Amino acid sequence: MTRRCVCPGSYDPVTLGHADVIRRAAALYDEVVVAVLHNPAKHGTFTPDERRDLILDTCGDLANVRVELFANRLLVDVCRDVGASAIVKGLRGGTDFAYELPMALMNRHLTGVETVFLPGDPRFEHISSSLVKEVARYGGDVSGLVSDRVRDALAGAWSDR
């Protein structure tokens, strides 16, 4: 029986903190489905396809990781569709835990799927996609926060605006 988990997120863009959680999940599970969840009503910095490609560039060396796109779906339905028994989420601190716990309890209530929380690597605690985008938007250096390809994609995204 394959132990499969889902690592959900918007990944707009994928950061080294996300990559750390995905890599650690890949060591714990037979298969990791990175679920790029997007709301078509919201305009992100990157399209869902671009997000998938940036994740593959960042974590594509992991043979047991695949990336799939989902829109307008409950996470528990995504888990059921891909046959995942767990959701893996990274936590940067207590605020993340307070935000994530009610969702984890609701997901377990709805379908019995468990959420596994991985404490974030302290080197990446301060990194979030929104902060990375803000720094990049105003010309700051995001090296060491995202992969080189994501850094270059962000620079290109803001130069077009």
Side-chain angles (χ1 to χ4, degrees):
M1 184 169 172
T2 300
R3 293 173 305 133
R4 184 175 296 119
C5 73
V6 169
C7 287
S10 62
Y11 300 102
D12 188 33
V14 62
T15 69
L16 294 182
H18 291 130
D20 174 61
V21 171
I22 293 166
R23 288 180 181 285
R24 289 165 56 207
L28 296 170
Y29 290 89
D30 299 322
E31 185 176 28
V32 176
V33 178
V34 178
V36 178
L37 306 172
H38 63 99
N39 180 343
K42 292 183 179 179
H43 179 68
T45 303
F46 297 105
T47 67
D49 288 334
E50 289 170 327
R51 295 177 207 182
R52 180 195 57 229
D53 293 347
L54 290 170
I55 295 165
L56 289 171
D57 182 72
T58 303
C59 297
D61 59 307
L62 300 170
N64 63 332
V65 172
R66 73 180 203 248
V67 182
E68 294 195 22
L69 309 177
F70 298 94
N72 297 323
R73 308 277 310 280
L74 288 174
L75 181 54
V76 291
D77 293 334
V78 169
C79 290
R80 185 176 16 241
D81 289 352
V82 302
S85 60
I87 298 164
V88 173
K89 301 283 286 194
L91 299 178
R92 292 171 294 190
T95 303
D96 281 357
F97 181 73
Y99 177 78
E100 295 289 347
L101 182 61
M103 288 188 288
L105 295 172
M106 179 59 76
N107 289 335
R108 188 174 66 196
H109 170 80
L110 291 173
T111 63
V113 69
E114 292 290 351
T115 300
V116 175
F117 294 123
L118 295 179
D121 185 316
R123 295 175 300 155
F124 306 126
E125 271 185 288
H126 62 291
I127 302 174
S128 71
S129 293
S130 56
L131 283 174
V132 164
K133 288 188 289 191
E134 186 171 347
V135 169
R137 179 182 298 126
Y138 295 108
D141 184 8
V142 295
S143 299
L145 308 176
V146 295
S147 71
D148 291 346
R149 179 151 179 238
V150 172
R151 182 199 61 219
D152 295 346
L154 282 165
W158 299 123
S159 69
D160 294 342
R161 295 184 178 157

